[in-house]
Amino acid sequence: MSTRVAEPAAGAAGERGAGEDAPRFLNFIDGEWREPETRAFYENRNPARASDLIGHFPLSGPADVELAVASAREGFREWRAVPAPERGEILRHAADCLTSDKEEIARAATREMGKVLDETRGDVQEAIDTGYYASSEGRRLFGHTVPSELRDKWAMSFRRPIGVFGVITPFNFPVAIPSWKIFPALLCGNAVVFKPAAVVPHSAHLFVEALLEAGVPPRCIQLVHGAGRAAGQAMVDHPEIAGISFTGSTEIGSAIGETCGRMHKRCSLEMGGKNAQIVLPDADTDLAIEGVLWGAFGTTGQRCTATSRLLLHEEIHDAFLERLIAETKALRLGDGLESETDVGPLIHEDAVRKVQEYVDIARGEGAEVACGGAVPEAADLAEGFFYEPTILTGVRPGMRVEQEEIFGPVLSVVRFRTLDEAIEINNGVIYGLSSSIYTRDVEASFRAIEALDTGITYVNAPTIGAEAHLPFGGVKQTGNGHREGGWEVYDFYSETKVAYVDYSGRLQRAQIDVTW
Ligand code: UN1
């Protein structure tokens, strides 16, 4: 796939240390790559190495959104007439393109967001899986045909597209999360205006290129780069955008929800988490340790599904912790593109500051920093936003580090005595995305599956790792009741219409002319 840029600096695109010659990327609006109306650009740099300038990206404003929406409305008119199986075929090609470009996109994603290459490969793979699922949905998109209560009459429901959707996505899954929203939106016959997180524009650029290469009609996908407070806000406020799908912070999601409520827009919000892994005394300890290391420190803890609380039964608490701390100290921080790295950097300086603040809060609340708790001192890490994987012990339910989302490599350990108590601690937060229990006891696992107030529960697996073909989302303040992934997301991007066909040749009044 060729990278379409305005002023490609010879040999610079995609190379480490591109310096000030780094390429300039553009928005994709109204079927062409174009400069923002603002004429303003921003720099995007590698979080593992600040001197590595990836490129200059548009800092778009409301005028860009205006153009994108007007064009998307045209795109919608054309696209909605394409039969769903044909739309599915085009999306299958898009998944094929992502498959051929998997390595290139994964490397670009690691370079701009920091997580290790194996993880960005998984990220792209999740988008590929979502694309193939969407393509097959083109031959389903089921409605219902149900018996009418009257003679010589048919009753049926089917799905209609809605219009232009605004898709606003976070940095932590720069390819997978856009794909969760864009593939089903397009499959249902909608057009999309896409505003990726400002720190991962290159991944978004490559994703949109794959869609275009596959034959998605250009005006059905509009890419608007820039900041949430300008471009994102303009999308949320735009009366011609019929719905918003947002993944990100609770604070921004709540504001988006308010506006959408006022404007009667569809709105799917996927926000915070405070996910716990519960370990019972009969658990396979090796498995549980491996699970929590991956759940807490994978993606440097920057997942909505990250394990940020570890609930340990008192019988195993000390021995388990001792081993966990030793293994955590052995994790290697570094550039995610290097094969020996276990944990990459945080996304930016503010994230480092926020993590440090929470560690200080934990100390103030009487918790102990069992390992980590600082910015590493190694010289080769000095240019990146690194933070040591951190374990807080002696955490009690109700402490801020036990309640609030940190979105970094910080694990709070809480001791419990009974399964009921562990369930209560798990449920005692405002969020409810994911949970996990390690046990060999089938009764305990099923009790937990039923009682844990989360959208997902894992048994003998960490809190991360949802598969693309199952519904994904949380309860309570994690979201607003919608699900992404699997079959349920298609309800969000389509509207049910009902048709009655009366071939009796006479007036039949429902509820009145029934003959029984
Ligand atoms: C997120 O946690 O931000 O379940 C998304 C997982 C991934 C998606 C996570 N498939 O870990």
Side-chain angles (χ1 to χ4, degrees):
M1 183 200 303
S2 64
T3 299
R4 297 177 189 88
V5 293
E7 298 164 9
E15 277 178 20
R16 189 76 56 84
E20 300 312 309
D21 288 338
R24 198 137 81 105
F25 291 80
L26 301 173
N27 287 330
F28 187 76
I29 295 178
D30 197 23
E32 58 180 27
W33 297 95
R34 47 193 292 166
E35 295 226 355
E37 294 300 298
T38 56
R39 303 284 171 251
F41 286 78
Y42 69 94
E43 289 183 346
N44 186 34
R45 289 177 182 273
N46 180 341
R49 196 185 311 277
S51 59
D52 178 22
L53 178 62
I54 295 162
H56 302 271
F57 290 86
L59 201 53
S60 315
D64 299 293
V65 171
E66 193 60 50
L67 287 172
V69 175
S71 168
R73 285 205 56 79
E74 295 300 312
F76 170 59
R77 263 191 275 283
E78 180 191 334
W79 184 236
R80 68 178 304 171
V82 175
E86 193 178 329
R87 295 196 294 256
E89 275 305 288
I90 294 174
L91 299 187
R92 187 170 60 76
H93 287 310
D96 290 342
C97 292
L98 292 173
T99 305
S100 14
D101 297 335
K102 181 172 169 181
E103 191 62 18
E104 179 199 350
I105 302 175
R107 286 184 173 275
T110 289
R111 187 178 169 209
E112 70 180 351
M113 72 71 64
K115 68 185 175 186
V116 298
L117 195 50
D118 255 357
E119 292 191 39
T120 45
R121 287 183 183 130
D123 193 319
V124 182
Q125 187 58 45
E126 196 163 343
I128 293 167
D129 299 340
T130 303
Y132 288 132
Y133 187 101
S135 89
S136 65
E137 190 61 26
R139 292 189 182 275
R140 287 188 296 266
L141 271 193
F142 293 134
H144 293 283
T145 305
V146 289
S148 164
E149 65 188 39
L150 294 160
R151 284 158 200 257
D152 298 330
K153 187 179 172 192
W154 273 41
M156 54 208 154
S157 74
F158 66 103
R159 289 159 189 270
R160 300 177 86 211
I162 296 174
V164 179
F165 273 87
V167 163
I168 304 176
T169 54
F171 73 86
N172 62 341
F173 279 80
V175 189
I177 292 182
S179 85
W180 291 358
K181 302 174 190 301
I182 294 172
F183 279 133
L186 290 175
L187 189 277
C188 290
N190 306 289
V192 169
V193 179
F194 171 29
K195 210 297 284 173
V199 283
V200 288
H202 193 199
S203 309
H205 176 100
L206 296 173
F207 181 65
V208 169
E209 277 196 334
L211 295 179
L212 295 172
E213 195 175 314
V216 170
R219 289 176 306 174
C220 291
I221 177 77
Q222 315 265 342
L223 174 63
V224 182
H225 289 292
R229 64 187 170 277
Q233 184 71 51
M235 283 162 62
V236 174
D237 291 341
H238 202 295
E240 300 284 349
I241 286 195
I244 296 282
S245 180
F246 168 81
T247 300
S249 74
T250 303
E251 189 194 344
I252 294 173
S254 307
I256 290 176
E258 278 178 30
T259 307
C260 289
R262 220 170 33 246
M263 297 180 77
H264 309 297
K265 286 187 189 203
R266 283 202 169 203
C267 177
S268 169
L269 302 173
E270 206 44 67
M271 303 173 288
K274 191 70 191 174
N275 317 293
Q277 172 175 320
I278 299 169
V279 187
L280 296 186
D282 71 335
D284 175 334
T285 310
D286 292 344
L287 195 65
I289 289 182
E290 215 183 344
V292 70
L293 281 169
W294 173 228
F297 304 123
T299 328
T300 322
Q302 300 170 112
R303 294 198 190 204
C304 328
T305 49
T307 309
S308 60
R309 297 181 294 163
L310 173 64
L311 314 188
L312 289 180
H313 191 277
E314 61 179 356
E315 262 177 49
I316 52 157
H317 180 275
D318 295 355
F320 191 98
L321 255 184
E322 193 178 324
R323 285 189 50 196
L324 177 64
I325 291 166
E327 300 223 15
T328 302
K329 284 181 174 161
L331 293 172
R332 285 153 308 187
L333 281 171
D335 184 334
L337 287 170
E338 279 155 21
S339 57
E340 63 276 15
T341 298
D342 296 311
V343 179
L346 286 163
I347 190 66
H348 44 45
E349 207 165 351
D350 281 351
V352 177
R353 204 171 303 129
K354 180 178 172 191
V355 168
Q356 186 59 58
E357 268 169 30
Y358 270 107
V359 170
D360 294 341
I361 289 169
R363 283 201 182 92
E365 287 180 312
E368 253 176 67
V369 180
C371 66
V375 169
E377 280 167 9
D380 60 329
L381 301 179
E383 251 205 84
F385 306 120
F386 292 95
Y387 199 88
E388 289 174 353
T390 301
I391 297 181
L392 305 173
T393 56
V395 174
R396 285 184 309 280
M399 286 184 178
R400 283 186 62 191
V401 286
E402 194 270 334
Q403 294 280 311
E404 298 173 20
E405 185 176 48
I406 301 174
F407 225 65
V410 181
L411 179 70
S412 297
V413 184
V414 184
R415 182 193 292 261
F416 69 88
R417 282 179 301 274
T418 64
L419 175 59
D420 284 346
E421 188 189 350
I423 291 171
E424 202 180 309
I425 296 170
N426 178 84
N427 293 350
V429 294
I430 59 170
Y431 301 113
L433 181 52
S434 177
S435 54
S436 143
I437 182 162
Y438 279 75
T439 178
R440 291 175 168 118
D441 179 341
V442 73
E443 289 169 21
S445 8
F446 274 89
R447 203 168 311 135
I449 289 171
E450 285 218 52
L452 293 168
D453 287 337
T454 52
I456 307 169
T457 292
Y458 293 90
V459 177
N460 293 329
T463 61
I464 64 178
E467 299 178 30
H469 58 297
L470 278 97
F472 178 93
V475 304
K476 300 197 278 186
Q477 291 187 38
T478 287
N480 62 345
H482 291 289
R483 291 290 179 270
E484 306 202 85
W487 52 94
E488 288 204 6
V489 69
Y490 293 88
D491 292 338
F492 179 73
Y493 291 106
S494 62
E495 208 135 40
T496 300
K497 176 159 184 178
V498 165
Y500 296 102
V501 180
D502 188 324
Y503 56 98
S504 69
R506 59 184 190 280
L507 173 66
Q508 299 196 90
R509 296 172 302 171
Q511 295 93 36
I512 296 169
D513 292 337
V514 286
T515 51
W516 66 84

